[in-house]
């Protein structure tokens, strides 16, 4: 067993549907008599080749998640997985697009089911969870605005931020400014995927046009020294997902991953898993690999956890409590 399994961890970048265990999706499909396309390999894991196909398989798996009850059960399964790696705080991306196509009434029912599951998980294991509502970039700016409106309406105790995932090559960040303004007006702090399949310009444009305070991935910022200085000066936190980047081929090998260079340059980095079963990873494995490849230990993991507390979108009292747990109190 890994020496890092019991270490308390914070995770800021986890997609609710992307964390669905393949067996969970299969059993729902069987129960509903839905025939899924060839999205699993012989071992029963998700199977895809490259980023575009990953998004396609992800959306096919979502086809079985059709009711608030499904999302309740999914949330329980995901949080139980996270708690088993001693994740004490997680921010989960939840997308109104996948929950009733951003219909206002349907979304309220889905979100009630999701938050009920989060409350039950907290009562069971102590795990704190908050939701960052997301739009899907390749669904286009109009749908993004609808998703942002739903998140704005749900802003509060559980819905603490807004962001965007999906195909980074689709349109430019500025095209989504209206969705981000709508969420910001409701007081939601912002993040977006950038600098994963897009280069450093994609990060710069997101900072300039979307008002984001964090960046999902952001690793390709390493290609622009001026941008690195800006991230360090403005203390823009990167939600780094090294195992995801290796699995999707952003970097060929762990040794090529820039997380250690970004940290050395003073950029606040955090560690997450993105879509763990798709990438054959979990938080413990990320820690194991960071130790093995970059020699990270207690000092570095304490630092990334503190970075995550600072950048988390939750309230100050929750942050105080998280620091208490991290300090072993
Ligand atoms: N949605 C789920 N995982 C994603 C990723 N790694 N990049 C962009 N969108 C995503
Ligand atoms: Zn992601």
């Amino acid at each position: 067993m890994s020496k890092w399994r019991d270490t308390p961890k914070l995770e800021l970048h986890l997609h609710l549907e992307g964390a669905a265990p393949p067996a969970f999706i299969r059993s729902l499909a069987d129960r509903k008599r839905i025939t899924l396309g060839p999205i699993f390999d012989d071992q029963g894991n998700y199977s895809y080749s490259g980023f575009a196909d990953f998004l396609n398989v992800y959306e096919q798996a979502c086809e079985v998640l059709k009711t608030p009850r499904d999302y309740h059960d999914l949330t329980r399964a995901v949080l139980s997985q996270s708690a088993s790696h001693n994740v004490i705080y997680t921010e989960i991306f939840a997308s109104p697009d996948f929950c009733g196509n951003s219909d206002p009434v349907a979304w309220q029912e889905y979100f009630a089911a999701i938050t009920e599951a989060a409350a039950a998980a907290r009562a069971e294991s102590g795990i704190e969870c908050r939701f960052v509502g997301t739009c899907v970039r390749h669904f286009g700016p109009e749908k993004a605005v609808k998703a942002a409106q739903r998140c704005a309406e749900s802003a509060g105790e559980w819905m603490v931020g807004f962001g965007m995932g999906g195909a980074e090559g689709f349109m430019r960040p500025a095209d989504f400014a209206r969705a981000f303004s709508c969420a910001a007006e409701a007081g939601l702090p912002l993040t977006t995927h950038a600098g994963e399949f897009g280069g450093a310009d994609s990060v710069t444009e997101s900072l300039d046009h979307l008002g984001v305070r964090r960046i999902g991935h952001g690793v390709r910022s390493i290609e622009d020294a001026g941008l690195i200085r800006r991230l360090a000066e403005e203390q823009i936190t990167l939600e780094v997902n090294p195992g995801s980047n290796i699995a999707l081929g952003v970097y060929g090998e762990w040794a090529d991953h820039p997380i250690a260079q970004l940290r050395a340059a003073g950029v606040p980095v955090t560690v997450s898993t993105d879509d763990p079963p798709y990438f054959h990873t979990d938080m413990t494995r990320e820690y194991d690999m960071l130790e093995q490849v970059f020699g990270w230990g207690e000092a570095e993991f304490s630092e990334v956890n503190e970075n995550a507390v600072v950048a988390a979108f939750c309230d100050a009292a929750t942050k105080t409590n998280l620091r208490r747990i991290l300090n072993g109190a």
Side-chain angles (χ1 to χ4, degrees):
M1 174 148 127
S2 164
K3 74 190 217 215
W4 300 113
R5 185 146 186 146
D6 291 339
T7 301
K9 306 171 186 77
L10 279 81
E11 178 162 42
L12 298 184
H13 189 119
L14 181 71
H15 298 262
L16 184 52
E17 299 87 358
F24 177 91
I25 294 294
R26 264 194 308 276
S27 82
L28 264 188
D30 289 347
R31 194 144 41 89
K32 294 169 185 245
R33 301 187 198 289
I34 295 173
T35 308
L36 287 165
I39 66 168
F40 301 114
D41 64 18
D42 292 346
Q43 279 82 51
N45 295 310
Y46 294 113
S47 165
Y48 56 88
S49 98
F51 182 55
D53 193 36
F54 157 74
L55 291 175
N56 176 32
V57 168
Y58 185 107
E59 282 163 31
Q60 282 192 57
C62 287
E63 286 297 313
V64 305
L65 297 163
K66 282 286 178 236
T67 68
R69 180 82 223 167
D70 296 340
Y71 267 84
H72 172 279
D73 296 348
L74 171 62
T75 306
R76 285 302 304 256
V78 168
L79 288 173
S80 140
Q81 227 167 224
S82 295
S84 77
H85 294 279
N86 207 11
V87 172
I88 59 168
Y89 177 82
T90 178
E91 280 180 14
I92 299 190
F93 295 131
S95 174
D97 283 308
F98 292 123
C99 298
N101 199 19
S102 289
D103 172 76
V105 176
W107 165 250
Q108 276 198 16
E109 289 169 7
Y110 277 92
F111 196 57
I114 290 169
T115 54
E116 189 189 304
R122 176 166 61 193
E124 189 177 272
S125 68
I127 189 167
E128 281 289 354
C129 162
R130 300 288 185 275
F131 297 94
V132 174
T134 48
C135 60
V136 181
R137 186 159 171 166
H138 54 274
F139 293 174
E142 293 310 316
K143 282 201 149 193
V145 169
K146 274 181 82 181
Q149 286 166 341
R150 299 296 79 77
C151 298
E153 288 155 10
S154 300
E157 184 191 355
W158 293 104
M159 176 63 75
V160 297
F162 179 73
M164 175 164 71
E168 200 180 338
F170 186 82
M171 303 182 75
R172 309 299 315 173
D175 297 316
F176 297 88
R178 208 150 53 87
F180 280 74
S181 309
C182 166
E185 277 164 26
L188 292 171
L190 307 171
T191 178
T192 188
H193 284 60
E196 181 191 20
F197 286 93
D201 285 357
S202 169
V203 175
T204 302
E205 285 179 35
S206 300
L207 293 173
D208 289 345
H209 296 289
L210 300 181
V212 291
R213 184 215 285 150
R214 299 190 332 216
I215 295 283
H217 298 281
V219 285
R220 299 214 21 222
S221 307
I222 202 71
E223 295 162 22
D224 179 341
L227 174 59
I228 293 294
R229 277 194 298 279
R230 177 177 180 185
L231 296 176
E233 263 165 39
E234 297 179 17
Q235 289 289 288
I236 303 291
T237 298
L238 302 186
E239 304 152 11
V240 183
N241 307 274
S244 157
N245 296 150
I246 306 306
L248 288 175
V250 179
Y251 297 101
E253 299 191 29
W254 271 82
D256 301 330
H257 196 281
I259 188 168
Q261 282 169 270
L262 290 161
R263 173 176 172 264
V267 179
V269 298
T270 59
V271 175
S272 298
T273 57
D274 207 8
D275 309 284
Y278 283 85
F279 307 139
H280 303 279
T281 194
D282 53 55
M283 283 297 279
T284 304
R285 178 171 181 271
E286 297 293 316
Y287 275 44
D288 283 341
M289 292 305 290
L290 289 165
E291 178 187 32
Q292 202 177 302
V293 179
F294 300 112
W296 284 18
E298 293 287 353
E300 290 80 5
F301 294 133
S302 294
E303 185 185 306
V304 297
N305 276 330
E306 173 58 22
N307 290 344
V309 174
V310 170
F313 290 157
C314 62
D315 59 85
T318 305
K319 292 188 187 208
T320 302
N321 199 37
L322 292 170
R323 287 198 175 96
R324 195 184 51 74
I325 300 171
L326 289 172
N327 292 330

